[in-house]
Amino acid sequence: VKEGKGYFKGVNGIKYKGDYKNGEKEGYGTIYNSDETVAYKGKLKNGLPHGAGTAYIDNKIIVTSWYQGIDIKRLPFINEDQ
């Protein structure tokens, strides 16, 4: 069972680097897309975004709050096209 800091790479190329608790991605971590770009950086619980975190979607940086993987507060912050 993973505990503390760790790294995971899925068969689809998605990667995770961060905290583990009781074998789950929990605490602070970063999820990477298969092309090595950051998809999410922030808090996780039971492997899902939970709490404060930043998502990187469609050339936007989205600073938001999560509850069990659900975006409960979306705040568009930067759009690289502008």
Side-chain angles (χ1 to χ4, degrees):
V1 174
K2 286 187 179 183
E3 196 73 33
K5 301 285 183 193
Y7 175 83
F8 170 82
K9 181 178 180 182
V11 294
N12 57 3
I14 292 177
K15 299 173 185 144
Y16 170 78
K17 184 177 181 181
D19 297 332
Y20 281 85
K21 184 176 179 182
N22 297 320
E24 291 286 342
K25 299 170 189 83
E26 188 159 326
Y28 186 84
T30 304
I31 299 171
Y32 298 89
N33 296 309
S34 59
D35 66 358
E36 303 291 326
T37 59
V38 174
Y40 174 80
K41 186 181 287 189
K43 294 183 179 181
L44 294 100
K45 185 173 182 177
N46 296 320
L48 298 172
H50 189 84
T54 303
Y56 301 83
I57 303 167
D58 297 328
N59 295 324
K60 293 180 185 173
I61 298 173
I62 309 290
V63 179
T64 192
S65 294
W66 300 84
Y67 180 78
Q68 298 178 354
I70 298 169
D71 177 355
I72 59 173
K73 180 181 176 188
R74 187 171 263 209
L75 302 171
F77 186 63
I78 294 174
N79 183 335
E80 293 177 0
D81 297 329
Q82 295 179 350

